[in-house]
Amino acid sequence: MAVARLWPAVFSNAVDPGWVPTWMGGKSAPDNLQKGYETQVWLAVSEDEKAKVSGKYFYHQKERPANPIATDVDLQDKFLELLSDLTGFLLLSNRLLFFSCCQVFTLISIRIYLN
């Protein structure tokens, strides 16, 4: 939800794939493995108006209510600050992040060129 709030021009949603039979889920997981990834694909490429949203929570291509704590902006900001401390990257807005990515790409390109 924080990414959706900070990057309004980008679709960003949470997806629950369900308890699916994977190495982590185990062979006895009752959910359908294909249904686990279909929602992610649907949100990424669908022209369906229901998929053209941001800041939502989905399970099997259906929007569901998110845990109310996920909408706590102060908690989101604390979480982003912690992530920034751990990674060294600050997520402020798409413009600032894009600028940072361009800077990194430019530095990598210069380094490759000089070597």
Side-chain angles (χ1 to χ4, degrees), residues 58-93:
F58 286 90
Y59 174 78
H60 292 222
Q61 294 182 327
K62 292 189 179 16
E63 186 179 327
R64 290 203 170 162
N67 187 319
I69 201 166
T71 62
D72 183 331
V73 173
D74 291 333
L75 186 60
Q76 291 175 11
D77 290 341
K78 287 177 186 173
F79 181 69
L80 292 175
E81 184 179 340
L82 176 63
L83 289 175
S84 176
D85 291 344
L86 291 171
T87 64
F89 289 97
L90 185 60
L91 181 66
L92 294 176
S93 71

PDB file of all heavy atoms in Angstrom, residues 58-93:
ATOM      1  N   PHE A  58      -5.549  -8.790  -3.330  1.00  0.00           N
ATOM      2  CA  PHE A  58      -6.258  -9.743  -4.176  1.00  0.00           C
ATOM      3  C   PHE A  58      -5.972 -11.185  -3.782  1.00  0.00           C
ATOM      4  O   PHE A  58      -4.866 -11.530  -3.365  1.00  0.00           O
ATOM      5  CB  PHE A  58      -5.835  -9.570  -5.646  1.00  0.00           C
ATOM      6  CG  PHE A  58      -6.398  -8.357  -6.299  1.00  0.00           C
ATOM      7  CD1 PHE A  58      -5.709  -7.154  -6.248  1.00  0.00           C
ATOM      8  CD2 PHE A  58      -7.614  -8.397  -6.958  1.00  0.00           C
ATOM      9  CE1 PHE A  58      -6.221  -6.021  -6.846  1.00  0.00           C
ATOM     10  CE2 PHE A  58      -8.137  -7.264  -7.556  1.00  0.00           C
ATOM     11  CZ  PHE A  58      -7.438  -6.076  -7.505  1.00  0.00           C
ATOM     12  N   TYR A  59      -7.001 -12.006  -3.958  1.00  0.00           N
ATOM     13  CA  TYR A  59      -6.897 -13.453  -3.807  1.00  0.00           C
ATOM     14  C   TYR A  59      -7.709 -14.072  -4.929  1.00  0.00           C
ATOM     15  O   TYR A  59      -8.913 -13.813  -5.058  1.00  0.00           O
ATOM     16  CB  TYR A  59      -7.444 -13.881  -2.444  1.00  0.00           C
ATOM     17  CG  TYR A  59      -7.507 -15.374  -2.243  1.00  0.00           C
ATOM     18  CD1 TYR A  59      -6.354 -16.097  -1.937  1.00  0.00           C
ATOM     19  CD2 TYR A  59      -8.701 -16.060  -2.363  1.00  0.00           C
ATOM     20  CE1 TYR A  59      -6.401 -17.465  -1.757  1.00  0.00           C
ATOM     21  CE2 TYR A  59      -8.759 -17.430  -2.182  1.00  0.00           C
ATOM     22  CZ  TYR A  59      -7.612 -18.124  -1.879  1.00  0.00           C
ATOM     23  OH  TYR A  59      -7.648 -19.486  -1.706  1.00  0.00           O
ATOM     24  N   HIS A  60      -7.062 -14.831  -5.790  1.00  0.00           N
ATOM     25  CA  HIS A  60      -7.699 -15.510  -6.920  1.00  0.00           C
ATOM     26  C   HIS A  60      -8.544 -14.564  -7.773  1.00  0.00           C
ATOM     27  O   HIS A  60      -9.725 -14.810  -8.032  1.00  0.00           O
ATOM     28  CB  HIS A  60      -8.532 -16.690  -6.431  1.00  0.00           C
ATOM     29  CG  HIS A  60      -7.683 -17.791  -5.880  1.00  0.00           C
ATOM     30  ND1 HIS A  60      -7.931 -19.120  -6.151  1.00  0.00           N
ATOM     31  CD2 HIS A  60      -6.588 -17.790  -5.086  1.00  0.00           C
ATOM     32  CE1 HIS A  60      -7.027 -19.874  -5.538  1.00  0.00           C
ATOM     33  NE2 HIS A  60      -6.195 -19.076  -4.889  1.00  0.00           N
ATOM     34  N   GLN A  61      -7.926 -13.485  -8.192  1.00  0.00           N
ATOM     35  CA  GLN A  61      -8.510 -12.467  -9.070  1.00  0.00           C
ATOM     36  C   GLN A  61      -9.719 -11.758  -8.472  1.00  0.00           C
ATOM     37  O   GLN A  61     -10.511 -11.168  -9.195  1.00  0.00           O
ATOM     38  CB  GLN A  61      -8.873 -13.053 -10.435  1.00  0.00           C
ATOM     39  CG  GLN A  61      -7.657 -13.493 -11.231  1.00  0.00           C
ATOM     40  CD  GLN A  61      -8.007 -14.025 -12.586  1.00  0.00           C
ATOM     41  OE1 GLN A  61      -9.050 -14.631 -12.793  1.00  0.00           O
ATOM     42  NE2 GLN A  61      -7.120 -13.805 -13.533  1.00  0.00           N
ATOM     43  N   LYS A  62      -9.837 -11.809  -7.178  1.00  0.00           N
ATOM     44  CA  LYS A  62     -10.926 -11.096  -6.514  1.00  0.00           C
ATOM     45  C   LYS A  62     -10.328 -10.174  -5.458  1.00  0.00           C
ATOM     46  O   LYS A  62      -9.461 -10.573  -4.687  1.00  0.00           O
ATOM     47  CB  LYS A  62     -11.896 -12.075  -5.870  1.00  0.00           C
ATOM     48  CG  LYS A  62     -12.677 -12.890  -6.897  1.00  0.00           C
ATOM     49  CD  LYS A  62     -13.760 -13.673  -6.234  1.00  0.00           C
ATOM     50  CE  LYS A  62     -14.608 -14.495  -7.166  1.00  0.00           C
ATOM     51  NZ  LYS A  62     -14.243 -14.782  -8.453  1.00  0.00           N
ATOM     52  N   GLU A  63     -10.809  -8.935  -5.468  1.00  0.00           N
ATOM     53  CA  GLU A  63     -10.353  -7.987  -4.469  1.00  0.00           C
ATOM     54  C   GLU A  63     -10.959  -8.361  -3.121  1.00  0.00           C
ATOM     55  O   GLU A  63     -12.143  -8.693  -3.033  1.00  0.00           O
ATOM     56  CB  GLU A  63     -10.779  -6.573  -4.861  1.00  0.00           C
ATOM     57  CG  GLU A  63     -10.227  -5.508  -3.959  1.00  0.00           C
ATOM     58  CD  GLU A  63     -10.644  -4.117  -4.371  1.00  0.00           C
ATOM     59  OE1 GLU A  63     -10.805  -3.860  -5.582  1.00  0.00           O
ATOM     60  OE2 GLU A  63     -10.812  -3.284  -3.468  1.00  0.00           O
ATOM     61  N   ARG A  64     -10.118  -8.348  -2.111  1.00  0.00           N
ATOM     62  CA  ARG A  64     -10.567  -8.628  -0.748  1.00  0.00           C
ATOM     63  C   ARG A  64     -10.110  -7.491   0.155  1.00  0.00           C
ATOM     64  O   ARG A  64      -9.153  -6.795  -0.164  1.00  0.00           O
ATOM     65  CB  ARG A  64      -9.962  -9.934  -0.251  1.00  0.00           C
ATOM     66  CG  ARG A  64     -10.535 -11.149  -0.949  1.00  0.00           C
ATOM     67  CD  ARG A  64     -10.358 -12.344  -0.088  1.00  0.00           C
ATOM     68  NE  ARG A  64     -11.091 -13.481  -0.616  1.00  0.00           N
ATOM     69  CZ  ARG A  64     -10.854 -14.707  -0.262  1.00  0.00           C
ATOM     70  NH1 ARG A  64      -9.898 -14.979   0.601  1.00  0.00           N
ATOM     71  NH2 ARG A  64     -11.569 -15.695  -0.754  1.00  0.00           N
ATOM     72  N   PRO A  65     -10.754  -7.336   1.291  1.00  0.00           N
ATOM     73  CA  PRO A  65     -10.295  -6.290   2.215  1.00  0.00           C
ATOM     74  C   PRO A  65      -8.924  -6.651   2.797  1.00  0.00           C
ATOM     75  O   PRO A  65      -8.699  -7.788   3.191  1.00  0.00           O
ATOM     76  CB  PRO A  65     -11.364  -6.246   3.305  1.00  0.00           C
ATOM     77  CG  PRO A  65     -12.303  -7.366   3.050  1.00  0.00           C
ATOM     78  CD  PRO A  65     -11.955  -8.014   1.756  1.00  0.00           C
ATOM     79  N   ALA A  66      -8.042  -5.691   2.804  1.00  0.00           N
ATOM     80  CA  ALA A  66      -6.721  -5.897   3.407  1.00  0.00           C
ATOM     81  C   ALA A  66      -6.833  -5.738   4.916  1.00  0.00           C
ATOM     82  O   ALA A  66      -7.799  -5.153   5.420  1.00  0.00           O
ATOM     83  CB  ALA A  66      -5.732  -4.882   2.845  1.00  0.00           C
ATOM     84  N   ASN A  67      -5.849  -6.233   5.616  1.00  0.00           N
ATOM     85  CA  ASN A  67      -5.786  -6.021   7.058  1.00  0.00           C
ATOM     86  C   ASN A  67      -5.764  -4.514   7.296  1.00  0.00           C
ATOM     87  O   ASN A  67      -4.970  -3.799   6.676  1.00  0.00           O
ATOM     88  CB  ASN A  67      -4.527  -6.670   7.615  1.00  0.00           C
ATOM     89  CG  ASN A  67      -4.467  -6.635   9.120  1.00  0.00           C
ATOM     90  OD1 ASN A  67      -4.817  -5.651   9.751  1.00  0.00           O
ATOM     91  ND2 ASN A  67      -3.998  -7.720   9.698  1.00  0.00           N
ATOM     92  N   PRO A  68      -6.613  -3.992   8.162  1.00  0.00           N
ATOM     93  CA  PRO A  68      -6.668  -2.537   8.385  1.00  0.00           C
ATOM     94  C   PRO A  68      -5.323  -1.915   8.759  1.00  0.00           C
ATOM     95  O   PRO A  68      -5.074  -0.757   8.431  1.00  0.00           O
ATOM     96  CB  PRO A  68      -7.671  -2.395   9.533  1.00  0.00           C
ATOM     97  CG  PRO A  68      -8.508  -3.619   9.461  1.00  0.00           C
ATOM     98  CD  PRO A  68      -7.607  -4.703   8.957  1.00  0.00           C
ATOM     99  N   ILE A  69      -4.446  -2.669   9.370  1.00  0.00           N
ATOM    100  CA  ILE A  69      -3.143  -2.111   9.751  1.00  0.00           C
ATOM    101  C   ILE A  69      -2.313  -1.739   8.514  1.00  0.00           C
ATOM    102  O   ILE A  69      -1.454  -0.872   8.572  1.00  0.00           O
ATOM    103  CB  ILE A  69      -2.381  -3.079  10.675  1.00  0.00           C
ATOM    104  CG1 ILE A  69      -1.328  -2.321  11.472  1.00  0.00           C
ATOM    105  CG2 ILE A  69      -1.780  -4.230   9.907  1.00  0.00           C
ATOM    106  CD1 ILE A  69      -0.759  -3.102  12.629  1.00  0.00           C
ATOM    107  N   ALA A  70      -2.622  -2.374   7.380  1.00  0.00           N
ATOM    108  CA  ALA A  70      -1.888  -2.073   6.147  1.00  0.00           C
ATOM    109  C   ALA A  70      -2.150  -0.656   5.646  1.00  0.00           C
ATOM    110  O   ALA A  70      -1.367  -0.124   4.864  1.00  0.00           O
ATOM    111  CB  ALA A  70      -2.245  -3.083   5.062  1.00  0.00           C
ATOM    112  N   THR A  71      -3.223  -0.044   6.094  1.00  0.00           N
ATOM    113  CA  THR A  71      -3.538   1.320   5.656  1.00  0.00           C
ATOM    114  C   THR A  71      -2.974   2.378   6.602  1.00  0.00           C
ATOM    115  O   THR A  71      -3.161   3.567   6.360  1.00  0.00           O
ATOM    116  CB  THR A  71      -5.064   1.510   5.548  1.00  0.00           C
ATOM    117  OG1 THR A  71      -5.652   1.317   6.841  1.00  0.00           O
ATOM    118  CG2 THR A  71      -5.681   0.536   4.552  1.00  0.00           C
ATOM    119  N   ASP A  72      -2.283   1.967   7.643  1.00  0.00           N
ATOM    120  CA  ASP A  72      -1.692   2.896   8.612  1.00  0.00           C
ATOM    121  C   ASP A  72      -0.466   3.566   7.983  1.00  0.00           C
ATOM    122  O   ASP A  72       0.593   2.957   7.855  1.00  0.00           O
ATOM    123  CB  ASP A  72      -1.311   2.137   9.879  1.00  0.00           C
ATOM    124  CG  ASP A  72      -0.764   3.019  10.980  1.00  0.00           C
ATOM    125  OD1 ASP A  72      -0.158   4.078  10.673  1.00  0.00           O
ATOM    126  OD2 ASP A  72      -0.912   2.641  12.157  1.00  0.00           O
ATOM    127  N   VAL A  73      -0.618   4.822   7.576  1.00  0.00           N
ATOM    128  CA  VAL A  73       0.443   5.541   6.863  1.00  0.00           C
ATOM    129  C   VAL A  73       1.693   5.693   7.736  1.00  0.00           C
ATOM    130  O   VAL A  73       2.817   5.561   7.241  1.00  0.00           O
ATOM    131  CB  VAL A  73      -0.072   6.912   6.367  1.00  0.00           C
ATOM    132  CG1 VAL A  73       1.062   7.735   5.772  1.00  0.00           C
ATOM    133  CG2 VAL A  73      -1.179   6.710   5.342  1.00  0.00           C
ATOM    134  N   ASP A  74       1.523   5.954   9.016  1.00  0.00           N
ATOM    135  CA  ASP A  74       2.687   6.074   9.907  1.00  0.00           C
ATOM    136  C   ASP A  74       3.468   4.765   9.961  1.00  0.00           C
ATOM    137  O   ASP A  74       4.703   4.766   9.917  1.00  0.00           O
ATOM    138  CB  ASP A  74       2.257   6.479  11.318  1.00  0.00           C
ATOM    139  CG  ASP A  74       1.741   7.904  11.389  1.00  0.00           C
ATOM    140  OD1 ASP A  74       2.158   8.734  10.541  1.00  0.00           O
ATOM    141  OD2 ASP A  74       0.926   8.193  12.284  1.00  0.00           O
ATOM    142  N   LEU A  75       2.761   3.646  10.034  1.00  0.00           N
ATOM    143  CA  LEU A  75       3.424   2.348  10.051  1.00  0.00           C
ATOM    144  C   LEU A  75       4.112   2.070   8.715  1.00  0.00           C
ATOM    145  O   LEU A  75       5.232   1.555   8.672  1.00  0.00           O
ATOM    146  CB  LEU A  75       2.424   1.240  10.382  1.00  0.00           C
ATOM    147  CG  LEU A  75       3.002  -0.152  10.566  1.00  0.00           C
ATOM    148  CD1 LEU A  75       4.022  -0.177  11.702  1.00  0.00           C
ATOM    149  CD2 LEU A  75       1.882  -1.149  10.838  1.00  0.00           C
ATOM    150  N   GLN A  76       3.461   2.425   7.627  1.00  0.00           N
ATOM    151  CA  GLN A  76       4.076   2.272   6.301  1.00  0.00           C
ATOM    152  C   GLN A  76       5.389   3.040   6.235  1.00  0.00           C
ATOM    153  O   GLN A  76       6.407   2.525   5.767  1.00  0.00           O
ATOM    154  CB  GLN A  76       3.137   2.783   5.206  1.00  0.00           C
ATOM    155  CG  GLN A  76       1.913   1.962   4.973  1.00  0.00           C
ATOM    156  CD  GLN A  76       0.995   2.617   3.958  1.00  0.00           C
ATOM    157  OE1 GLN A  76       1.356   3.579   3.278  1.00  0.00           O
ATOM    158  NE2 GLN A  76      -0.216   2.097   3.844  1.00  0.00           N
ATOM    159  N   ASP A  77       5.358   4.287   6.713  1.00  0.00           N
ATOM    160  CA  ASP A  77       6.562   5.125   6.665  1.00  0.00           C
ATOM    161  C   ASP A  77       7.676   4.562   7.541  1.00  0.00           C
ATOM    162  O   ASP A  77       8.848   4.585   7.161  1.00  0.00           O
ATOM    163  CB  ASP A  77       6.239   6.558   7.054  1.00  0.00           C
ATOM    164  CG  ASP A  77       5.408   7.276   6.001  1.00  0.00           C
ATOM    165  OD1 ASP A  77       5.373   6.811   4.837  1.00  0.00           O
ATOM    166  OD2 ASP A  77       4.792   8.304   6.336  1.00  0.00           O
ATOM    167  N   LYS A  78       7.320   4.017   8.701  1.00  0.00           N
ATOM    168  CA  LYS A  78       8.328   3.393   9.574  1.00  0.00           C
ATOM    169  C   LYS A  78       8.933   2.169   8.889  1.00  0.00           C
ATOM    170  O   LYS A  78      10.139   1.936   8.961  1.00  0.00           O
ATOM    171  CB  LYS A  78       7.710   2.998  10.912  1.00  0.00           C
ATOM    172  CG  LYS A  78       7.407   4.170  11.805  1.00  0.00           C
ATOM    173  CD  LYS A  78       6.721   3.727  13.087  1.00  0.00           C
ATOM    174  CE  LYS A  78       6.292   4.925  13.907  1.00  0.00           C
ATOM    175  NZ  LYS A  78       5.492   4.555  15.065  1.00  0.00           N
ATOM    176  N   PHE A  79       8.092   1.398   8.234  1.00  0.00           N
ATOM    177  CA  PHE A  79       8.567   0.216   7.510  1.00  0.00           C
ATOM    178  C   PHE A  79       9.516   0.615   6.373  1.00  0.00           C
ATOM    179  O   PHE A  79      10.580   0.025   6.195  1.00  0.00           O
ATOM    180  CB  PHE A  79       7.369  -0.566   6.967  1.00  0.00           C
ATOM    181  CG  PHE A  79       7.737  -1.808   6.218  1.00  0.00           C
ATOM    182  CD1 PHE A  79       8.285  -2.895   6.870  1.00  0.00           C
ATOM    183  CD2 PHE A  79       7.529  -1.900   4.856  1.00  0.00           C
ATOM    184  CE1 PHE A  79       8.630  -4.046   6.181  1.00  0.00           C
ATOM    185  CE2 PHE A  79       7.861  -3.033   4.158  1.00  0.00           C
ATOM    186  CZ  PHE A  79       8.410  -4.120   4.823  1.00  0.00           C
ATOM    187  N   LEU A  80       9.138   1.641   5.619  1.00  0.00           N
ATOM    188  CA  LEU A  80       9.994   2.107   4.522  1.00  0.00           C
ATOM    189  C   LEU A  80      11.319   2.655   5.051  1.00  0.00           C
ATOM    190  O   LEU A  80      12.363   2.471   4.430  1.00  0.00           O
ATOM    191  CB  LEU A  80       9.271   3.162   3.688  1.00  0.00           C
ATOM    192  CG  LEU A  80       8.078   2.659   2.878  1.00  0.00           C
ATOM    193  CD1 LEU A  80       7.382   3.821   2.188  1.00  0.00           C
ATOM    194  CD2 LEU A  80       8.507   1.604   1.877  1.00  0.00           C
ATOM    195  N   GLU A  81      11.270   3.311   6.194  1.00  0.00           N
ATOM    196  CA  GLU A  81      12.503   3.816   6.812  1.00  0.00           C
ATOM    197  C   GLU A  81      13.414   2.656   7.212  1.00  0.00           C
ATOM    198  O   GLU A  81      14.622   2.700   6.992  1.00  0.00           O
ATOM    199  CB  GLU A  81      12.161   4.671   8.027  1.00  0.00           C
ATOM    200  CG  GLU A  81      13.367   5.318   8.671  1.00  0.00           C
ATOM    201  CD  GLU A  81      12.991   6.194   9.861  1.00  0.00           C
ATOM    202  OE1 GLU A  81      11.835   6.611   9.975  1.00  0.00           O
ATOM    203  OE2 GLU A  81      13.889   6.449  10.673  1.00  0.00           O
ATOM    204  N   LEU A  82      12.835   1.618   7.775  1.00  0.00           N
ATOM    205  CA  LEU A  82      13.614   0.425   8.140  1.00  0.00           C
ATOM    206  C   LEU A  82      14.233  -0.219   6.900  1.00  0.00           C
ATOM    207  O   LEU A  82      15.413  -0.572   6.898  1.00  0.00           O
ATOM    208  CB  LEU A  82      12.725  -0.576   8.876  1.00  0.00           C
ATOM    209  CG  LEU A  82      13.365  -1.906   9.250  1.00  0.00           C
ATOM    210  CD1 LEU A  82      14.523  -1.702  10.220  1.00  0.00           C
ATOM    211  CD2 LEU A  82      12.336  -2.845   9.846  1.00  0.00           C
ATOM    212  N   LEU A  83      13.450  -0.339   5.843  1.00  0.00           N
ATOM    213  CA  LEU A  83      13.975  -0.898   4.595  1.00  0.00           C
ATOM    214  C   LEU A  83      15.112  -0.040   4.046  1.00  0.00           C
ATOM    215  O   LEU A  83      16.110  -0.558   3.548  1.00  0.00           O
ATOM    216  CB  LEU A  83      12.869  -1.029   3.554  1.00  0.00           C
ATOM    217  CG  LEU A  83      11.838  -2.113   3.799  1.00  0.00           C
ATOM    218  CD1 LEU A  83      10.739  -2.052   2.746  1.00  0.00           C
ATOM    219  CD2 LEU A  83      12.474  -3.482   3.819  1.00  0.00           C
ATOM    220  N   SER A  84      14.958   1.258   4.137  1.00  0.00           N
ATOM    221  CA  SER A  84      16.002   2.172   3.682  1.00  0.00           C
ATOM    222  C   SER A  84      17.277   1.975   4.497  1.00  0.00           C
ATOM    223  O   SER A  84      18.385   1.957   3.948  1.00  0.00           O
ATOM    224  CB  SER A  84      15.516   3.615   3.784  1.00  0.00           C
ATOM    225  OG  SER A  84      16.540   4.510   3.425  1.00  0.00           O
ATOM    226  N   ASP A  85      17.129   1.841   5.814  1.00  0.00           N
ATOM    227  CA  ASP A  85      18.296   1.614   6.674  1.00  0.00           C
ATOM    228  C   ASP A  85      19.001   0.311   6.312  1.00  0.00           C
ATOM    229  O   ASP A  85      20.233   0.235   6.323  1.00  0.00           O
ATOM    230  CB  ASP A  85      17.883   1.580   8.151  1.00  0.00           C
ATOM    231  CG  ASP A  85      17.435   2.936   8.674  1.00  0.00           C
ATOM    232  OD1 ASP A  85      17.710   3.963   8.007  1.00  0.00           O
ATOM    233  OD2 ASP A  85      16.809   2.958   9.742  1.00  0.00           O
ATOM    234  N   LEU A  86      18.229  -0.711   5.982  1.00  0.00           N
ATOM    235  CA  LEU A  86      18.800  -2.021   5.663  1.00  0.00           C
ATOM    236  C   LEU A  86      19.445  -2.077   4.279  1.00  0.00           C
ATOM    237  O   LEU A  86      20.434  -2.758   4.073  1.00  0.00           O
ATOM    238  CB  LEU A  86      17.727  -3.105   5.762  1.00  0.00           C
ATOM    239  CG  LEU A  86      17.207  -3.415   7.154  1.00  0.00           C
ATOM    240  CD1 LEU A  86      15.997  -4.332   7.081  1.00  0.00           C
ATOM    241  CD2 LEU A  86      18.306  -4.045   8.004  1.00  0.00           C
ATOM    242  N   THR A  87      18.849  -1.363   3.316  1.00  0.00           N
ATOM    243  CA  THR A  87      19.296  -1.480   1.928  1.00  0.00           C
ATOM    244  C   THR A  87      20.102  -0.292   1.419  1.00  0.00           C
ATOM    245  O   THR A  87      20.824  -0.412   0.439  1.00  0.00           O
ATOM    246  CB  THR A  87      18.088  -1.651   0.991  1.00  0.00           C
ATOM    247  OG1 THR A  87      17.281  -0.459   1.040  1.00  0.00           O
ATOM    248  CG2 THR A  87      17.257  -2.863   1.374  1.00  0.00           C
ATOM    249  N   GLY A  88      19.934   0.867   2.047  1.00  0.00           N
ATOM    250  CA  GLY A  88      20.594   2.067   1.557  1.00  0.00           C
ATOM    251  C   GLY A  88      19.819   2.778   0.463  1.00  0.00           C
ATOM    252  O   GLY A  88      20.270   3.777  -0.076  1.00  0.00           O
ATOM    253  N   PHE A  89      18.629   2.289   0.123  1.00  0.00           N
ATOM    254  CA  PHE A  89      17.797   2.909  -0.905  1.00  0.00           C
ATOM    255  C   PHE A  89      16.591   3.557  -0.253  1.00  0.00           C
ATOM    256  O   PHE A  89      15.937   2.973   0.599  1.00  0.00           O
ATOM    257  CB  PHE A  89      17.317   1.877  -1.935  1.00  0.00           C
ATOM    258  CG  PHE A  89      18.420   1.392  -2.817  1.00  0.00           C
ATOM    259  CD1 PHE A  89      19.069   0.206  -2.537  1.00  0.00           C
ATOM    260  CD2 PHE A  89      18.825   2.134  -3.910  1.00  0.00           C
ATOM    261  CE1 PHE A  89      20.089  -0.252  -3.345  1.00  0.00           C
ATOM    262  CE2 PHE A  89      19.849   1.696  -4.724  1.00  0.00           C
ATOM    263  CZ  PHE A  89      20.491   0.499  -4.441  1.00  0.00           C
ATOM    264  N   LEU A  90      16.286   4.760  -0.682  1.00  0.00           N
ATOM    265  CA  LEU A  90      15.167   5.506  -0.142  1.00  0.00           C
ATOM    266  C   LEU A  90      14.047   5.540  -1.173  1.00  0.00           C
ATOM    267  O   LEU A  90      14.253   5.961  -2.310  1.00  0.00           O
ATOM    268  CB  LEU A  90      15.611   6.925   0.211  1.00  0.00           C
ATOM    269  CG  LEU A  90      14.604   7.825   0.887  1.00  0.00           C
ATOM    270  CD1 LEU A  90      14.160   7.218   2.216  1.00  0.00           C
ATOM    271  CD2 LEU A  90      15.223   9.191   1.132  1.00  0.00           C
ATOM    272  N   LEU A  91      12.880   5.074  -0.794  1.00  0.00           N
ATOM    273  CA  LEU A  91      11.718   5.056  -1.677  1.00  0.00           C
ATOM    274  C   LEU A  91      10.866   6.268  -1.364  1.00  0.00           C
ATOM    275  O   LEU A  91      10.132   6.287  -0.387  1.00  0.00           O
ATOM    276  CB  LEU A  91      10.918   3.766  -1.454  1.00  0.00           C
ATOM    277  CG  LEU A  91       9.690   3.565  -2.314  1.00  0.00           C
ATOM    278  CD1 LEU A  91      10.084   3.405  -3.775  1.00  0.00           C
ATOM    279  CD2 LEU A  91       8.921   2.355  -1.843  1.00  0.00           C
ATOM    280  N   LEU A  92      11.000   7.301  -2.168  1.00  0.00           N
ATOM    281  CA  LEU A  92      10.239   8.531  -1.927  1.00  0.00           C
ATOM    282  C   LEU A  92       9.115   8.704  -2.928  1.00  0.00           C
ATOM    283  O   LEU A  92       7.977   8.828  -2.567  1.00  0.00           O
ATOM    284  CB  LEU A  92      11.157   9.748  -1.979  1.00  0.00           C
ATOM    285  CG  LEU A  92      12.202   9.847  -0.885  1.00  0.00           C
ATOM    286  CD1 LEU A  92      13.105  11.040  -1.121  1.00  0.00           C
ATOM    287  CD2 LEU A  92      11.537   9.958   0.469  1.00  0.00           C
ATOM    288  N   SER A  93       9.470   8.739  -4.194  1.00  0.00           N
ATOM    289  CA  SER A  93       8.460   8.889  -5.233  1.00  0.00           C
ATOM    290  C   SER A  93       9.027   8.311  -6.507  1.00  0.00           C
ATOM    291  O   SER A  93      10.224   8.092  -6.627  1.00  0.00           O
ATOM    292  CB  SER A  93       8.102  10.365  -5.448  1.00  0.00           C
ATOM    293  OG  SER A  93       9.171  11.034  -6.071  1.00  0.00           O
TER     294      SER A  93
END
